[in-house]
């Protein structure tokens, strides 16, 4: 089934070899709706039902006719794709439309400013960079104020207009100099030393355990999976991972990351010490439903606690809607179901309609730093192909009074109902069904005690879900994968075009898998 078997492979050869061992090394030659067609040994096309949906990027399926028509029109009319540093009316319209929908979902009117990117991870990096620019700008404003006040206090002492409150020397552990001269010089130096130590503390990012935010230099440091993150630890962003549903941990983190900035101020002829709280927290990254972490929805309660923490600490929230957004769970923003209000939203995947590589990072008006536009850009972002395609995607979402959102919930409920019935039939094999809309996961019970060595070995090597994926493809012509950081959970993220017949086919396939895993049929998983 490999059209070029025998040829030298230089494009990720190890990955290719591994895919071969579990029967996933097939070539897809065509895609339409929820179906991918692979090439059979006789050259004929074999349809495969696609439940992986481009890892959640195909809300409207493969090659949706309206989206492909728009793409054709752009190419046929010679639309300029790369015309950087010019007016981009399509990008402007896209951002206005995103704002209109977000305002409807949040019941608010604060504008969100957009920065475009080419991939999800890149847009996360843009959000992180923006948050850091904002943090250092605020910090420099505070230190600037304190330094100016300290200088005024010093001048007042030198001019004999004010005297330093004796408690100040004591508080800073600086001996009070005898005699005349610049008596405050040592105090000022000590304050500067302490402030420099405080401001030099690197920013800290908060992210949830199980979270996934990309695999680039910074974003991978915010991805909890150690295998992805640890080799690159020295590269960038310090992250602290917060256990899910444990708000008390947030208080400890805030206390540990808090410090003080100092200055002097003159009040009523006395010079006293001014202390300003300062913490190193730069941003809190959250997925409303963790995708790669095993399709785990955030609870409304924890979302509220995160929101309260963010408000109390002044730490912005970055809501990563890369997988959960764009209609998949019945809204543009899955977080709006939770009442979570972000300082930053990140959208990607389905934004590109399955044809374009598009991502956008949105910053709320009250946090937006215009100077970011001068320090951040990419050759390919905000291009003349992906922006009109993304606009078409929004048009499809909003058509017929938002029929696609309703359909996502309705189709999702049908799919979830079937998955629940499989769980009910095999409670000893299937642990839990999770998710919302068309973002669903099925978690298997731990199979490390399986009588089948093939299954045991796969569990031990962390490839269990891929073994099941290979069987689903080879024996049932169904394509899905485990989630990237939780490989005992299969993901189901089909398009909104999902039919009842496709759900029935999946039921048959999962019933077969569960019966095999239960180990009483004598049947084994299909491997090449
Ligand atoms: N965040 C989330 C929630 C994701 O699911 C992903 C991709 N699985 C990313 C970020 C990274 O996106 P990309 O692969 O486009 O870089």
């Amino acid at each position: 089934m490999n059209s070029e078997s025998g040829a030298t492979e230089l494009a990720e050869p190890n990955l290719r070899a591994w895919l071969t061992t579990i029967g996933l090394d097939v070539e897809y030659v065509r895609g339409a709706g929820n179906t991918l067609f692979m090439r059979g040994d006789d050259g004929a096309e074999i349809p495969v039902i696609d439940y992986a949906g481009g890892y959640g990027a195909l809300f409207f399926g493969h090659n949706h006719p309206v989206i492909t028509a728009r793409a054709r029109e752009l190419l046929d009319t010679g639309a300029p794709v790369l015309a950087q540093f010019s007016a981009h009316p399509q990008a402007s319209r896209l951002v206005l439309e995103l704002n209109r929908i977000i305002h409807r979902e949040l019941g608010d009117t604060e504008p969100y400013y957009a920065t475009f990117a080419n991939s999800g991870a890149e847009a996360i990096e843009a959000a992180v960079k923006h948050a850091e620019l904002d943090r250092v700008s605020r910090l420099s404003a505070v230190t600037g104020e304190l330094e100016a006040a300290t200088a005024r206090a010093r001048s007042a002492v030198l001019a004999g207009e004010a005297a330093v409150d004796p408690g100040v020397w004591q508080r800073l552990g600086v001996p009070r100099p005898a005699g005349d001269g610049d008596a405050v010089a040592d105090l000022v130096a000590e304050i500067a030393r302490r402030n420099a130590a405080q401001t030099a503390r690197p920013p800290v990012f908060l992210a949830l355990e199980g979270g996934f935010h990309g695999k680039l230099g910074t974003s991978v440091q915010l991805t909890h999976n150690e295998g992805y993150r640890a080799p690159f630890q020295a590269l960038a962003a310090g992250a602290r991972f917060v256990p899910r549903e444990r708000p008390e941990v947030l208080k400890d983190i805030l206390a540990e990351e808090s410090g003080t900035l100092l200055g002097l101020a003159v009040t009523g002829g006395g010079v006293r010490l001014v202390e300003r709280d300062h913490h190193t927290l730069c941003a809190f990254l959250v997925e409303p439903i963790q995708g790669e972490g095993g399709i785990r929805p955030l609870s409304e309660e924890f979302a509220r606690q995160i929101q309260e923490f963010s408000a109390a600490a002044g730490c912005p929230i970055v809501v990563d809607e890369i997988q959960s957004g764009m209609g998949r769970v019945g809204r543009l923003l899955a977080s709006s179901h939770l009442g979570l209000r972000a300082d930053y939203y990140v959208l990607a995947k389905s934004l590109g309609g399955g044809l374009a590589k598009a991502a956008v990072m949105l910053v709320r008006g009250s946090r937006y730093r215009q100077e970011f536009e001068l320090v951040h850009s990419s050759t390919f972002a905000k291009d003349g192909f992906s922006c009109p395609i993304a606009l078409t995607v929004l048009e499809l979402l909003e058509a017929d009074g938002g029929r696609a959102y309703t359909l996502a919930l309705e189709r999702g409920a049908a799919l979830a109902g079937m998955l629940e019935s499989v769980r009910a039939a095999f409670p000893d094999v299937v642990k839990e069904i999770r998710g919302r809309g068309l973002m669903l996961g099925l978690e298997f019970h731990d199979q490390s005690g399986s009588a089948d060595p093939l299954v045991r070995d796969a569990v031990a090597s962390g490839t269990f879900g891929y073994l099941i994926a290979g069987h689903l493809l080879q024996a049932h012509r169904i394509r899905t994968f485990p989630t990237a950081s939780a490989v005992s959970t299969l993901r189901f993220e089909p398009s909104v075009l999902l039919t009842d017949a496709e759900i029935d086919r999946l039921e048959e396939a999962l019933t077969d898998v569960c019966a095999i895993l239960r180990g009483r049929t004598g049947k084994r998983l299909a491997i090449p």
Side-chain angles (χ1 to χ4, degrees):
M1 285 180 215
N2 166 5
S3 62
E4 288 176 273
S5 52
T8 305
E9 176 66 273
L10 296 176
E12 304 187 299
N14 292 328
L15 181 61
R16 175 81 182 267
W18 177 70
L19 290 175
T20 309
T21 63
I22 45 175
L24 291 172
D25 177 40
V26 299
E27 181 193 356
Y28 293 104
V29 290
R30 197 162 64 83
N34 270 323
T35 308
L36 272 172
F37 296 86
M38 66 187 214
R39 181 81 73 212
D41 289 336
D42 60 357
E45 287 185 351
I46 301 171
V48 171
I49 305 175
D50 188 3
Y51 277 96
Y55 282 84
L58 292 166
F59 181 66
F60 286 111
H62 293 273
N63 296 310
H64 189 285
V66 174
I67 304 173
T68 50
R70 182 77 181 108
R72 243 180 245 116
E73 183 191 321
L74 290 166
L75 299 180
D76 289 347
T77 56
V81 176
L82 296 177
Q84 301 91 340
F85 262 57
S86 64
H88 287 286
Q90 302 276 353
S92 309
R93 275 186 55 207
L94 172 61
V95 178
L96 287 177
E97 184 60 2
L98 284 169
N99 267 273
R100 187 185 67 76
I101 304 171
I102 289 172
H103 291 157
R104 183 184 71 215
E105 293 193 351
L106 298 182
D108 195 350
T109 54
E110 185 172 356
Y112 277 86
Y113 293 89
T115 299
F116 287 90
N118 305 284
S119 70
E122 192 190 319
I124 290 286
E125 305 244 338
V128 163
K129 273 180 71 181
H130 187 285
E132 177 61 357
L133 183 67
D134 190 32
R135 188 188 75 91
V136 295
S137 305
R138 285 168 196 262
L139 183 56
S140 118
V142 173
T143 50
E145 271 171 37
L146 288 170
E147 278 164 19
T150 303
R152 281 197 300 277
R154 183 180 193 170
S155 305
V157 174
L158 289 178
E161 293 160 12
V164 179
D165 175 355
V168 175
W169 309 95
Q170 213 174 14
R171 165 77 177 78
L172 291 177
V174 175
R176 193 173 179 168
D180 295 338
D182 185 354
V184 266
D186 291 349
L187 271 188
V188 173
E190 177 61 10
I191 287 172
R193 191 191 63 74
R194 290 192 186 204
N195 284 352
Q198 177 63 20
T199 54
R201 287 171 71 184
V204 172
F205 295 89
L206 302 181
L208 296 183
E209 285 184 3
F212 185 100
H213 302 289
K215 291 183 182 168
L216 295 185
T218 293
S219 50
V220 78
Q221 292 308 318
L222 306 167
T223 288
H224 188 227
N225 186 322
E226 201 167 339
Y228 294 149
R229 173 169 46 86
F232 308 104
Q233 212 134 33
L235 277 184
R240 293 193 64 163
F241 292 98
V242 179
R244 278 186 304 254
E245 313 295 337
R246 296 261 315 275
E248 71 281 5
V249 175
L250 291 172
K251 288 199 190 84
D252 296 343
I253 290 177
L254 183 58
E256 285 158 24
E257 298 300 338
S258 287
T260 314
L261 290 169
L262 303 172
L264 295 175
V266 186
T267 35
V271 169
R272 61 178 180 84
L273 195 63
V274 179
E275 301 188 37
R276 300 277 284 269
D277 290 340
H278 165 257
H279 64 69
T280 51
L281 301 177
C282 184
F284 194 154
L285 286 94
V286 182
E287 289 163 89
I289 300 177
Q290 289 188 336
E292 305 308 333
I295 317 287
R296 292 184 183 275
L298 200 68
S299 74
E300 262 179 54
E301 173 67 2
F302 195 39
R304 191 181 51 72
Q305 285 155 342
I306 290 173
Q307 190 92 66
E308 282 170 9
F309 168 81
S310 150
C315 171
I317 304 179
V318 178
V319 173
D320 180 343
E321 294 268 9
I322 289 169
Q323 194 165 152
S324 56
M326 297 304 298
R328 188 158 285 286
V329 305
R331 300 258 182 119
L332 184 82
L333 303 173
S335 52
S336 68
H337 274 303
L338 297 169
L340 184 63
R341 165 79 197 248
D343 299 284
Y344 297 80
Y345 289 108
V346 185
L347 292 163
K349 295 208 189 238
S350 286
L351 180 68
L355 291 188
K357 295 175 182 177
V360 68
M361 179 278 272
L362 297 158
V363 192
R364 75 192 284 180
S366 54
R367 287 244 171 215
Y368 187 56
R369 297 245 163 219
Q370 288 187 0
E371 59 273 33
F372 189 67
E373 295 166 25
L374 304 176
V375 296
H376 188 88
S377 66
S378 157
T379 303
F380 297 116
K382 201 183 181 183
D383 63 290
F385 183 72
S386 68
C387 289
I389 294 287
L391 254 174
T392 304
V393 170
L394 290 187
E395 277 161 24
L396 280 174
L397 275 176
E398 294 282 303
D400 295 335
R403 169 113 185 86
Y405 301 116
T406 321
L407 208 53
L409 291 178
E410 191 267 305
R411 294 286 72 204
L415 180 56
M418 179 280 281
L419 295 174
E420 276 299 350
S421 74
V422 172
R423 195 192 62 81
F426 296 91
D428 50 329
V429 180
V430 178
K431 185 173 172 189
E432 197 179 17
I433 307 300
R434 292 186 294 266
R436 183 170 202 149
L438 289 167
M439 188 169 176
L440 296 169
L442 176 152
E443 183 178 0
F444 291 100
H445 282 295
D446 178 16
Q447 299 292 321
S448 54
S450 167
D452 185 342
L454 182 71
V455 174
R456 279 203 311 274
D457 288 354
V459 175
S461 62
T463 57
F464 168 71
Y466 291 96
L467 183 69
I468 304 298
H471 177 84
L472 288 172
L473 181 61
Q474 293 299 331
H476 297 280
R477 303 302 184 214
I478 282 180
R479 173 179 153 91
T480 195
F481 295 108
T483 55
S485 307
V487 293
S488 292
T489 298
L490 289 182
R491 65 201 306 150
F492 299 101
E493 301 181 66
S495 86
V496 72
L497 310 168
L498 183 71
T499 64
D500 288 340
E502 287 166 335
I503 295 177
D504 292 347
R505 281 274 309 280
L506 181 61
E507 179 169 19
E508 235 171 77
L510 290 175
T511 302
D512 173 47
V513 165
C514 290
I516 292 174
L517 289 176
R518 196 178 251 178
R520 296 186 202 138
T521 59
K523 251 185 93 182
R524 301 196 65 197
L525 293 168
I527 51 160

